[in-house]
Amino acid sequence: MFQEIMFELLHGAGRFFMNPLFYIILLFSVLLGYTRVRRERKHFRVRVDEGLAEFRGLLKESWLAALVLSLIITGAGLVVPKGWLVLFCGFMLAGVLLFRYQAGAPIYAAGLAALAYWLLGRYDVATDWPFIGWTYAGVTGEEAVTITVIAGLLTVAEGILIRKYGARDASPLLQETARGLQGAAYRTKRLWLLPLLFAVPGGPIGEMLPYWPQFTLGGTSYYLIFIPAVIGFEHTARHVLPGQVYGGYGKAVFVAGLGVTAAAFLGLWEPLAGWAVLALGFIMRAMITIRAAVRESKGNFAVAPRSDGVVVAAVLPGSPADKMGILPGETIRKVNGVTVTDERELYEAIQVNAAHCRVEVLNREGELRLCQHVIFRHDHHRMGLLVVR
Protein backbone atom coordinates (compact mmCIF):
# COMPACT_ATOMS: atom_id res chain seq x y z
CA MET A 1 0.00 0.00 0.00
CA PHE A 2 2.84 2.38 0.83
CA GLN A 3 4.42 1.82 -2.58
CA GLU A 4 1.07 2.47 -4.29
CA ILE A 5 0.68 5.75 -2.42
CA MET A 6 4.21 6.92 -3.27
CA PHE A 7 3.75 5.95 -6.91
CA GLU A 8 0.44 7.80 -7.03
CA LEU A 9 2.04 10.88 -5.41
CA LEU A 10 4.65 10.91 -8.18
CA HIS A 11 1.88 10.62 -10.75
CA GLY A 12 0.05 13.47 -9.03
CA ALA A 13 3.16 15.64 -9.19
CA GLY A 14 3.51 14.84 -12.89
CA ARG A 15 -0.07 15.94 -13.50
CA PHE A 16 0.76 19.20 -11.73
CA PHE A 17 3.50 20.04 -14.25
CA MET A 18 1.22 19.06 -17.13
CA ASN A 19 -1.37 21.62 -16.06
CA PRO A 20 -1.16 24.73 -18.30
CA LEU A 21 -2.46 26.85 -15.42
CA PHE A 22 0.89 26.44 -13.66
CA TYR A 23 2.86 28.00 -16.53
CA ILE A 24 0.34 30.79 -17.06
CA ILE A 25 0.58 31.69 -13.36
CA LEU A 26 4.38 31.90 -13.69
CA LEU A 27 4.10 34.07 -16.81
CA PHE A 28 1.58 36.46 -15.28
CA SER A 29 3.57 36.83 -12.06
CA VAL A 30 6.44 38.13 -14.21
CA LEU A 31 3.99 40.36 -16.11
CA LEU A 32 2.77 41.79 -12.79
CA GLY A 33 6.31 42.85 -11.91
CA TYR A 34 6.88 44.31 -15.37
CA THR A 35 3.73 46.45 -15.28
CA ARG A 36 4.46 47.60 -11.73
CA VAL A 37 8.00 48.70 -12.62
CA ARG A 38 6.73 50.58 -15.69
CA ARG A 39 4.14 52.41 -13.59
CA GLU A 40 6.62 53.32 -10.85
CA ARG A 41 9.13 54.66 -13.38
CA LYS A 42 6.42 56.64 -15.11
CA HIS A 43 5.30 58.29 -11.87
CA PHE A 44 8.59 58.55 -9.95
CA ARG A 45 11.34 57.91 -12.55
CA VAL A 46 12.61 54.99 -10.47
CA ARG A 47 11.32 51.54 -9.45
CA VAL A 48 10.76 50.70 -5.79
CA ASP A 49 11.48 46.97 -6.04
CA GLU A 50 12.97 44.67 -8.68
CA GLY A 51 10.75 43.46 -11.50
CA LEU A 52 10.91 39.81 -10.42
CA ALA A 53 9.71 40.49 -6.86
CA GLU A 54 6.21 39.13 -7.59
CA PHE A 55 7.68 36.05 -9.25
CA ARG A 56 9.99 35.36 -6.32
CA GLY A 57 7.15 35.68 -3.83
CA LEU A 58 4.74 33.56 -5.87
CA LEU A 59 5.40 30.37 -3.89
CA LYS A 60 7.83 31.62 -1.24
CA GLU A 61 5.05 33.39 0.65
CA SER A 62 2.38 30.69 0.27
CA TRP A 63 4.14 27.31 0.43
CA LEU A 64 3.37 26.81 4.12
CA ALA A 65 -0.33 27.53 3.59
CA ALA A 66 -0.33 25.10 0.64
CA LEU A 67 1.30 22.38 2.75
CA VAL A 68 -1.15 22.78 5.64
CA LEU A 69 -4.18 22.84 3.33
CA SER A 70 -2.98 19.75 1.44
CA LEU A 71 -2.53 17.86 4.69
CA ILE A 72 -6.03 18.85 5.85
CA ILE A 73 -7.77 18.18 2.52
CA THR A 74 -6.11 14.84 1.80
CA GLY A 75 -5.56 13.70 5.37
CA ALA A 76 -9.20 14.25 6.27
CA GLY A 77 -10.34 12.52 3.08
CA LEU A 78 -12.14 15.50 1.54
CA VAL A 79 -12.64 13.81 -1.82
CA VAL A 80 -13.85 15.99 -4.72
CA PRO A 81 -15.30 15.00 -8.12
CA LYS A 82 -12.98 15.26 -11.10
CA GLY A 83 -15.44 17.44 -13.00
CA TRP A 84 -15.48 20.10 -10.29
CA LEU A 85 -11.67 20.05 -10.06
CA VAL A 86 -11.34 20.57 -13.83
CA LEU A 87 -13.79 23.46 -13.77
CA PHE A 88 -12.13 24.92 -10.67
CA CYS A 89 -8.82 25.06 -12.56
CA GLY A 90 -10.64 26.54 -15.56
CA PHE A 91 -12.18 29.39 -13.58
CA MET A 92 -8.87 30.12 -11.84
CA LEU A 93 -7.23 30.24 -15.27
CA ALA A 94 -9.88 32.72 -16.46
CA GLY A 95 -9.27 34.84 -13.37
CA VAL A 96 -5.53 34.99 -14.01
CA LEU A 97 -6.00 35.88 -17.68
CA LEU A 98 -8.45 38.68 -16.84
CA PHE A 99 -5.63 40.48 -14.99
CA ARG A 100 -8.26 42.02 -12.70
CA TYR A 101 -7.43 40.33 -9.45
CA GLN A 102 -10.29 41.82 -7.46
CA ALA A 103 -11.97 38.70 -8.89
CA GLY A 104 -9.09 36.43 -7.88
CA ALA A 105 -10.50 35.15 -4.57
CA PRO A 106 -10.55 31.32 -4.63
CA ILE A 107 -14.10 31.12 -3.32
CA TYR A 108 -15.26 32.75 -6.57
CA ALA A 109 -13.67 30.00 -8.67
CA ALA A 110 -14.92 27.29 -6.28
CA GLY A 111 -18.49 28.60 -6.34
CA LEU A 112 -18.64 29.10 -10.11
CA ALA A 113 -17.10 25.66 -10.68
CA ALA A 114 -19.75 24.05 -8.47
CA LEU A 115 -22.54 25.84 -10.33
CA ALA A 116 -21.09 24.96 -13.74
CA TYR A 117 -20.59 21.33 -12.68
CA TRP A 118 -24.25 21.05 -11.73
CA LEU A 119 -25.52 22.87 -14.84
CA LEU A 120 -23.47 20.73 -17.22
CA GLY A 121 -24.83 17.58 -15.62
CA ARG A 122 -28.36 18.91 -15.27
CA TYR A 123 -28.65 19.63 -19.00
CA ASP A 124 -26.68 16.55 -20.13
CA VAL A 125 -23.87 18.51 -21.77
CA ALA A 126 -21.20 16.15 -23.10
CA THR A 127 -18.09 16.26 -20.90
CA ASP A 128 -16.17 13.31 -22.35
CA TRP A 129 -13.33 15.62 -23.36
CA PRO A 130 -9.82 14.24 -24.05
CA PHE A 131 -7.63 13.98 -20.92
CA ILE A 132 -9.86 16.17 -18.72
CA GLY A 133 -13.31 14.71 -19.35
CA TRP A 134 -15.53 13.22 -16.67
CA THR A 135 -18.84 11.43 -16.18
CA TYR A 136 -21.48 13.27 -14.19
CA ALA A 137 -22.84 11.16 -11.33
CA GLY A 138 -25.11 13.68 -9.68
CA VAL A 139 -24.55 16.09 -6.79
CA THR A 140 -24.68 14.71 -3.26
CA GLY A 141 -24.57 16.10 0.25
CA GLU A 142 -20.95 14.96 0.59
CA GLU A 143 -19.90 17.16 -2.31
CA ALA A 144 -21.72 20.10 -0.74
CA VAL A 145 -19.54 19.61 2.34
CA THR A 146 -16.16 18.89 0.73
CA ILE A 147 -16.30 21.65 -1.89
CA THR A 148 -17.56 24.25 0.59
CA VAL A 149 -14.99 23.28 3.23
CA ILE A 150 -12.18 23.57 0.67
CA ALA A 151 -13.49 26.98 -0.47
CA GLY A 152 -13.59 28.11 3.17
CA LEU A 153 -10.06 26.86 3.90
CA LEU A 154 -8.70 28.66 0.82
CA THR A 155 -10.43 31.84 1.99
CA VAL A 156 -8.76 31.47 5.39
CA ALA A 157 -5.38 31.18 3.63
CA GLU A 158 -6.22 34.22 1.50
CA GLY A 159 -6.97 36.29 4.60
CA ILE A 160 -3.64 35.30 6.19
CA LEU A 161 -1.69 36.21 3.04
CA ILE A 162 -3.44 39.59 2.68
CA ARG A 163 -2.87 40.42 6.33
CA LYS A 164 0.80 39.43 6.21
CA TYR A 165 1.90 40.69 2.79
CA GLY A 166 -0.70 43.20 1.58
CA ALA A 167 0.98 46.31 2.99
CA ARG A 168 4.52 45.14 2.24
CA ASP A 169 3.71 44.63 -1.44
CA ALA A 170 1.92 47.96 -1.92
CA SER A 171 3.32 49.94 -4.85
CA PRO A 172 3.02 53.76 -4.89
CA LEU A 173 1.43 55.69 -7.74
CA LEU A 174 0.29 59.28 -8.22
CA GLN A 175 -3.34 60.27 -8.63
CA GLU A 176 -4.97 63.69 -8.98
CA THR A 177 -6.54 65.10 -5.83
CA ALA A 178 -9.72 67.18 -5.63
CA ARG A 179 -7.53 70.32 -5.62
CA GLY A 180 -5.80 69.33 -8.87
CA LEU A 181 -2.57 68.29 -7.12
CA GLN A 182 -0.99 64.86 -7.06
CA GLY A 183 -1.53 62.59 -4.09
CA ALA A 184 -0.09 59.14 -3.50
CA ALA A 185 -2.12 55.95 -3.71
CA TYR A 186 -0.81 52.44 -3.03
CA ARG A 187 -1.74 49.46 -5.18
CA THR A 188 -1.28 45.87 -4.10
CA LYS A 189 -1.69 43.41 -6.97
CA ARG A 190 -0.50 39.88 -6.32
CA LEU A 191 -0.73 36.23 -7.25
CA TRP A 192 0.02 33.48 -4.75
CA LEU A 193 0.56 29.90 -5.93
CA LEU A 194 -0.63 27.01 -3.74
CA PRO A 195 0.18 23.49 -4.99
CA LEU A 196 -2.70 21.53 -3.43
CA LEU A 197 -3.10 17.75 -3.18
CA PHE A 198 -6.57 16.33 -3.85
CA ALA A 199 -8.08 12.86 -3.78
CA VAL A 200 -10.41 12.07 -6.69
CA PRO A 201 -12.55 8.95 -7.21
CA GLY A 202 -11.44 6.42 -9.82
CA GLY A 203 -7.78 5.61 -9.12
CA PRO A 204 -5.68 2.71 -7.80
CA ILE A 205 -5.71 3.63 -4.09
CA GLY A 206 -8.34 1.89 -1.99
CA GLU A 207 -9.52 2.69 1.50
CA MET A 208 -6.34 2.73 3.62
CA LEU A 209 -7.71 3.30 7.09
CA PRO A 210 -11.13 2.93 8.74
CA TYR A 211 -11.58 6.68 8.65
CA TRP A 212 -10.14 7.44 5.18
CA PRO A 213 -11.68 8.86 3.19
CA GLN A 214 -14.38 10.47 5.28
CA PHE A 215 -16.32 11.50 2.15
CA THR A 216 -16.21 8.76 -0.48
CA LEU A 217 -18.56 10.38 -3.06
CA GLY A 218 -19.69 6.83 -3.80
CA GLY A 219 -16.21 5.68 -4.83
CA THR A 220 -14.17 2.73 -3.61
CA SER A 221 -10.78 3.72 -5.03
CA TYR A 222 -9.05 7.02 -5.58
CA TYR A 223 -6.11 8.76 -7.20
CA LEU A 224 -4.09 11.74 -5.99
CA ILE A 225 -3.45 14.86 -7.98
CA PHE A 226 -1.64 18.12 -7.33
CA ILE A 227 -3.23 21.22 -8.86
CA PRO A 228 -1.76 24.74 -9.02
CA ALA A 229 -4.39 26.65 -7.06
CA VAL A 230 -3.93 30.41 -7.26
CA ILE A 231 -5.07 33.29 -5.08
CA GLY A 232 -5.28 36.66 -6.81
CA PHE A 233 -5.61 39.91 -4.91
CA GLU A 234 -5.84 43.57 -5.92
CA HIS A 235 -6.65 46.67 -3.91
CA THR A 236 -5.71 50.35 -4.09
CA ALA A 237 -5.38 52.31 -0.84
CA ARG A 238 -5.40 56.09 -0.86
CA HIS A 239 -7.60 57.30 1.99
CA VAL A 240 -5.66 55.23 4.53
CA LEU A 241 -2.03 54.12 4.45
CA PRO A 242 -1.44 50.44 3.48
CA GLY A 243 -0.20 49.49 6.93
CA GLN A 244 -3.55 50.57 8.36
CA VAL A 245 -5.68 48.87 5.69
CA TYR A 246 -4.60 45.31 5.14
CA GLY A 247 -4.66 44.14 8.74
CA GLY A 248 -8.40 44.71 8.93
CA TYR A 249 -8.98 43.61 5.33
CA GLY A 250 -7.16 40.32 5.87
CA LYS A 251 -8.92 39.73 9.18
CA ALA A 252 -12.34 40.17 7.55
CA VAL A 253 -11.46 37.65 4.82
CA PHE A 254 -10.01 35.25 7.41
CA VAL A 255 -13.15 35.38 9.59
CA ALA A 256 -15.37 34.87 6.53
CA GLY A 257 -13.33 31.81 5.59
CA LEU A 258 -13.62 30.35 9.09
CA GLY A 259 -17.37 30.88 9.04
CA VAL A 260 -17.75 29.15 5.67
CA THR A 261 -15.58 26.22 6.77
CA ALA A 262 -17.53 25.66 9.99
CA ALA A 263 -20.99 26.13 8.46
CA ALA A 264 -20.18 23.83 5.53
CA PHE A 265 -20.94 20.78 7.67
CA LEU A 266 -24.61 21.77 7.60
CA GLY A 267 -24.50 19.98 4.26
CA LEU A 268 -24.40 16.67 6.13
CA TRP A 269 -27.87 17.47 7.43
CA GLU A 270 -29.24 19.08 4.27
CA PRO A 271 -27.23 19.31 1.00
CA LEU A 272 -28.93 22.56 0.02
CA ALA A 273 -27.67 24.10 3.26
CA GLY A 274 -24.08 23.30 2.27
CA TRP A 275 -24.54 24.93 -1.14
CA ALA A 276 -26.26 27.91 0.49
CA VAL A 277 -23.22 28.38 2.75
CA LEU A 278 -20.96 28.39 -0.34
CA ALA A 279 -23.19 30.98 -2.03
CA LEU A 280 -23.27 33.10 1.12
CA GLY A 281 -19.47 32.93 1.39
CA PHE A 282 -19.22 34.03 -2.25
CA ILE A 283 -21.40 37.05 -1.51
CA MET A 284 -19.59 37.88 1.75
CA ARG A 285 -16.22 37.88 -0.01
CA ALA A 286 -17.58 40.17 -2.73
CA MET A 287 -19.02 42.53 -0.11
CA ILE A 288 -15.64 42.76 1.65
CA THR A 289 -14.04 43.85 -1.65
CA ILE A 290 -16.80 46.34 -2.47
CA ARG A 291 -16.83 47.85 1.02
CA ALA A 292 -13.06 48.34 1.00
CA ALA A 293 -13.17 49.95 -2.47
CA VAL A 294 -15.99 52.33 -1.48
CA ARG A 295 -14.16 53.34 1.69
CA GLU A 296 -11.04 54.22 -0.27
CA SER A 297 -12.97 56.21 -2.87
CA LYS A 298 -14.25 58.65 -0.25
CA GLY A 299 -12.38 61.31 1.69
CA ASN A 300 -8.98 62.88 1.17
CA PHE A 301 -5.69 61.26 0.26
CA ALA A 302 -3.68 60.07 3.23
CA VAL A 303 -0.52 61.23 1.41
CA ALA A 304 -0.99 64.57 -0.36
CA PRO A 305 1.15 67.71 -0.89
CA ARG A 306 1.54 70.11 2.05
CA SER A 307 2.69 73.71 2.12
CA ASP A 308 4.96 73.19 5.13
CA GLY A 309 7.27 70.56 3.65
CA VAL A 310 7.88 67.69 1.23
CA VAL A 311 5.59 64.70 1.73
CA VAL A 312 7.12 61.25 1.32
CA ALA A 313 5.20 58.83 -0.91
CA ALA A 314 7.62 55.89 -0.61
CA VAL A 315 11.16 55.00 0.44
CA LEU A 316 13.48 52.78 -1.57
CA PRO A 317 14.55 49.66 0.38
CA GLY A 318 18.15 49.85 1.69
CA SER A 319 18.52 53.54 0.82
CA PRO A 320 19.82 56.22 3.24
CA ALA A 321 16.22 57.38 3.78
CA ASP A 322 15.27 53.82 4.70
CA LYS A 323 18.18 53.60 7.15
CA MET A 324 17.09 56.89 8.70
CA GLY A 325 13.69 55.36 9.37
CA ILE A 326 11.73 57.78 7.18
CA LEU A 327 8.28 56.38 6.40
CA PRO A 328 5.64 57.01 3.71
CA GLY A 329 3.22 59.72 4.80
CA GLU A 330 5.82 61.66 6.78
CA THR A 331 6.79 65.24 5.90
CA ILE A 332 10.34 66.54 5.52
CA ARG A 333 10.41 70.06 6.94
CA LYS A 334 14.12 70.94 6.83
CA VAL A 335 17.30 69.47 5.36
CA ASN A 336 20.64 70.70 6.75
CA GLY A 337 18.79 73.58 8.40
CA VAL A 338 17.20 74.71 5.13
CA THR A 339 13.39 74.78 4.90
CA VAL A 340 12.17 72.79 1.90
CA THR A 341 8.78 72.88 0.21
CA ASP A 342 9.29 70.90 -2.99
CA GLU A 343 11.47 68.18 -4.52
CA ARG A 344 13.96 70.58 -6.13
CA GLU A 345 14.60 72.44 -2.87
CA LEU A 346 14.98 69.12 -1.08
CA TYR A 347 17.82 67.91 -3.30
CA GLU A 348 19.51 71.31 -3.34
CA ALA A 349 19.47 71.37 0.47
CA ILE A 350 21.05 67.92 0.62
CA GLN A 351 24.14 69.27 -1.14
CA VAL A 352 24.66 71.92 1.55
CA ASN A 353 26.25 69.26 3.76
CA ALA A 354 25.96 65.87 2.09
CA ALA A 355 28.61 64.29 4.30
CA HIS A 356 26.40 64.72 7.38
CA CYS A 357 22.91 65.18 6.02
CA ARG A 358 20.47 66.19 8.77
CA VAL A 359 16.75 65.88 8.10
CA GLU A 360 13.92 67.30 10.20
CA VAL A 361 10.89 65.03 9.81
CA LEU A 362 7.29 65.55 10.85
CA ASN A 363 5.86 62.08 11.49
CA ARG A 364 2.31 60.89 10.92
CA GLU A 365 1.31 61.86 14.46
CA GLY A 366 2.53 65.43 13.99
CA GLU A 367 5.71 65.04 16.07
CA LEU A 368 9.10 66.34 14.92
CA ARG A 369 12.27 64.26 14.96
CA LEU A 370 15.82 64.70 13.62
CA CYS A 371 17.48 62.09 11.38
CA GLN A 372 21.08 62.03 10.14
CA HIS A 373 22.97 59.99 7.58
CA VAL A 374 25.94 60.28 5.20
CA ILE A 375 24.99 61.14 1.60
CA PHE A 376 27.83 61.23 -0.92
CA ARG A 377 28.12 64.48 -2.85
CA HIS A 378 26.51 64.43 -6.29
CA ASP A 379 24.69 61.25 -5.31
CA HIS A 380 21.59 62.91 -3.90
CA HIS A 381 19.34 60.61 -5.96
CA ARG A 382 20.54 57.77 -3.76
CA MET A 383 18.76 59.17 -0.74
CA GLY A 384 15.88 56.95 -1.83
CA LEU A 385 12.92 59.28 -1.36
CA LEU A 386 9.86 59.23 -3.61
CA VAL A 387 7.78 62.34 -2.94
CA VAL A 388 4.43 63.76 -4.01
CA ARG A 389 4.63 66.81 -6.21
Side-chain angles (χ1 to χ4, degrees):
M1 179 63 70
F2 177 76
Q3 290 181 340
E4 290 180 355
I5 295 173
M6 294 305 297
F7 188 72
E8 190 58 27
L9 282 173
L10 290 175
H11 266 267
R15 297 183 186 106
F16 176 86
F17 290 107
M18 291 175 61
N19 194 322
L21 176 60
F22 171 64
Y23 300 99
I24 291 174
I25 293 170
L26 296 182
L27 175 63
F28 272 73
S29 68
V30 175
L31 184 60
L32 274 177
Y34 172 74
T35 55
R36 173 185 54 78
V37 167
R38 281 194 61 186
R39 183 180 64 248
E40 289 171 352
R41 285 179 171 163
K42 176 182 177 182
H43 290 210
F44 299 101
R45 301 185 296 275
V46 64
R47 62 171 175 79
V48 175
D49 207 347
E50 62 175 342
L52 291 177
E54 286 80 357
F55 176 79
R56 296 183 192 281
L58 183 64
L59 183 59
K60 180 181 178 182
E61 297 170 355
S62 58
W63 70 268
L64 182 58
L67 177 62
V68 172
L69 290 185
S70 292
L71 290 174
I72 294 174
I73 292 169
T74 310
L78 299 176
V79 178
V80 295
K82 180 183 178 181
W84 176 81
L85 202 57
V86 170
L87 293 168
F88 182 49
C89 289
F91 280 108
M92 286 191 294
L93 174 61
V96 172
L97 294 175
L98 279 174
F99 212 62
R100 298 289 184 181
Y101 298 147
Q102 297 96 334
I107 198 168
Y108 297 157
L112 291 172
L115 178 61
Y117 179 69
W118 176 76
L119 288 174
L120 290 173
R122 173 70 174 78
Y123 293 101
D124 296 320
V125 178
T127 55
D128 53 344
W129 308 324
F131 303 110
I132 62 172
W134 70 89
T135 301
Y136 181 72
V139 177
T140 67
E142 289 186 333
E143 289 163 333
V145 174
T146 59
I147 291 173
T148 305
V149 166
I150 290 167
L153 291 173
L154 282 167
T155 304
V156 168
E158 180 191 11
I160 293 172
L161 292 170
I162 293 171
R163 186 178 178 89
K164 189 172 183 180
Y165 299 109
R168 195 198 68 179
D169 296 333
S171 169
L173 65 151
L174 297 176
Q175 293 182 344
E176 187 173 338
T177 69
R179 295 186 297 163
L181 303 174
Q182 288 186 322
Y186 300 87
R187 180 171 299 160
T188 299
K189 190 171 185 177
R190 285 299 312 275
L191 290 174
W192 288 293
L193 173 65
L194 290 83
L196 296 182
L197 181 63
F198 287 89
V200 179
I205 301 177
E207 295 185 6
M208 295 182 292
L209 296 170
Y211 70 86
W212 195 94
Q214 284 291 313
F215 303 90
T216 64
L217 303 190
T220 58
S221 60
Y222 309 89
Y223 67 90
L224 301 177
I225 181 171
F226 283 96
I227 70 158
V230 61
I231 295 175
F233 176 72
E234 181 176 352
H235 180 71
T236 301
R238 68 172 195 172
H239 180 57
V240 183
L241 287 165
Q244 301 167 331
V245 170
Y246 293 109
Y249 196 126
K251 182 179 179 181
V253 174
F254 177 82
V255 171
L258 282 181
V260 170
T261 303
F265 292 96
L266 292 173
L268 294 174
W269 167 66
E270 171 57 55
L272 283 177
W275 297 122
V277 170
L278 180 59
L280 182 60
F282 189 108
I283 295 170
M284 287 171 59
R285 182 63 187 87
M287 291 303 298
I288 291 171
T289 298
I290 293 170
R291 185 183 64 179
V294 169
R295 185 186 300 120
E296 292 299 330
S297 67
K298 297 179 179 179
N300 299 323
F301 281 76
V303 179
R306 297 175 50 149
S307 60
D308 59 346
V310 179
V311 181
V312 178
V315 177
L316 299 182
S319 66
D322 187 27
K323 294 173 182 177
M324 282 191 275
I326 298 175
L327 300 173
E330 295 186 327
T331 303
I332 298 176
R333 300 281 297 274
K334 293 182 179 180
V335 177
N336 292 324
V338 179
T339 300
V340 295
T341 58
D342 58 35
E343 189 176 15
R344 179 183 59 82
E345 293 178 354
L346 169 69
Y347 291 138
E348 288 178 353
I350 290 173
Q351 296 307 305
V352 172
N353 187 4
H356 298 283
C357 184
R358 289 171 289 112
V359 181
E360 185 180 290
V361 179
L362 185 69
N363 68 17
R364 300 166 183 169
E365 290 74 36
E367 299 173 349
L368 283 173
R369 73 175 191 276
L370 187 65
C371 306
Q372 184 169 309
H373 198 276
V374 175
I375 307 292
F376 293 104
R377 188 173 296 276
H378 307 305
D379 283 345
H380 55 77
H381 59 281
R382 293 184 182 177
M383 188 169 181
L385 286 172
L386 280 61
V387 302
V388 295
R389 298 186 292 272

